[in-house]
């Protein structure tokens, strides 16, 4: 693998990291469960009794801690029934009716049948998504890919393109 989309932190000096997007969290609900919830943005507390699908902490401590922390601030500890290491898998499990998930807004573009994305009424910290690659890699292809990913993320109007440097 020459480069990959990752959730920070990237604390290994062998890797370079560039933040690309800061996304807000959305709720991914099974479409067949939408009638159990009020229309419009949802208060996070309304998910207190729901089974959650989440990234395992060992695979993404920042996202795991963000989601659990948001739930705790809303007055409950999420009941984590399923874990998955890929966001596409999390969304597929939601579509299968296995539970709900808090996911970065950019996943809305997956348009997975059986999933309804809803905004949260609560304010939540943003989720940063970035690009990592081997710091010592001087390949022109990797350099071009990093530049292209940075440019395209901003051009395509990602939810919150990164405006800072690094």
């Amino acid at each position: 693998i020459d480069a990959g989309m990752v959730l920070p932190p990237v604390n290994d000096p062998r890797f370079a990291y560039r933040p690309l997007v800061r996304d807000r969290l959305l709720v991914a609900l099974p479409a067949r469960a939408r009638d159990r919830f009020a229309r419009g943005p949802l208060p996070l507390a309304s998910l207190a009794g729901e089974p959650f699908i989440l990234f395992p902490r060992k695979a993404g401590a920042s996202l795991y801690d963000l989601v659990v922390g948001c739930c705790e601030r809303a007055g409950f500890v999420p009941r984590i029934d399923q874990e998955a290491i890929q966001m596409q898998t999390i969304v597929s499990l939601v579509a299968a009716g296995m539970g709900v998930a808090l996911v970065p807004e950019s996943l809305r573009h997956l348009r997975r049948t059986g999933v309804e994305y809803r905004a949260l009424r609560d304010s939540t910290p943003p989720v940063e998504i970035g690009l990592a690659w081997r710091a010592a890699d001087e390949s022109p292809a990797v350099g071009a890919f990093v530049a292209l990913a940075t440019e395209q993320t901003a051009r395509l109007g990602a939810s919150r393109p990164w405006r800072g440097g690094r």
Side-chain angles (χ1 to χ4, degrees):
I1 296 175
D2 293 311
M5 301 295 283
V6 299
L7 298 167
V10 177
N11 295 325
D12 188 325
R14 295 175 297 169
F15 297 101
Y17 174 79
R18 174 165 298 155
L20 295 176
V21 175
R22 296 183 95 179
D23 253 352
R24 64 184 175 146
L25 288 175
L26 296 178
V27 180
L29 299 170
R32 63 180 176 238
R34 81 179 111 209
D35 294 336
R36 292 197 328 249
F37 299 97
R39 297 211 182 275
L42 291 176
L44 194 49
S46 69
L47 303 174
E50 299 295 321
F52 271 72
I53 304 165
L54 189 58
F55 222 67
R57 189 170 196 287
K58 67 181 182 219
S62 64
L63 182 59
Y64 182 95
D65 291 347
L66 178 71
V67 168
V68 170
C70 288
C71 292
E72 288 174 346
R73 282 189 296 285
F76 70 98
V77 175
R79 186 181 91 217
I80 302 167
D81 279 13
Q82 296 284 326
E83 291 184 330
I85 59 171
Q86 293 184 346
M87 287 293 175
Q88 296 89 335
T89 304
I90 289 172
V91 172
S92 292
L93 290 169
V94 169
M98 303 293 291
V100 301
L102 297 183
V103 298
E105 183 176 22
S106 56
L107 283 181
R108 173 178 273 178
H109 301 294
L110 287 178
R111 295 190 179 135
R112 178 75 164 83
T113 301
V115 176
E116 181 173 321
Y117 296 98
R118 295 277 203 83
L120 287 167
R121 192 176 301 160
D122 310 67
S123 175
T124 61
V127 176
E128 182 178 299
I129 302 168
L131 185 64
W133 65 96
R134 288 183 297 278
D137 193 331
E138 297 180 13
S139 159
V142 170
F145 179 76
V146 171
L148 183 64
T150 304
E151 172 190 315
Q152 291 298 309
T153 301
R155 188 179 75 75
L156 293 175
S159 299
R160 292 194 169 103
W162 188 263
R163 300 286 185 217
R166 234 205 266 199

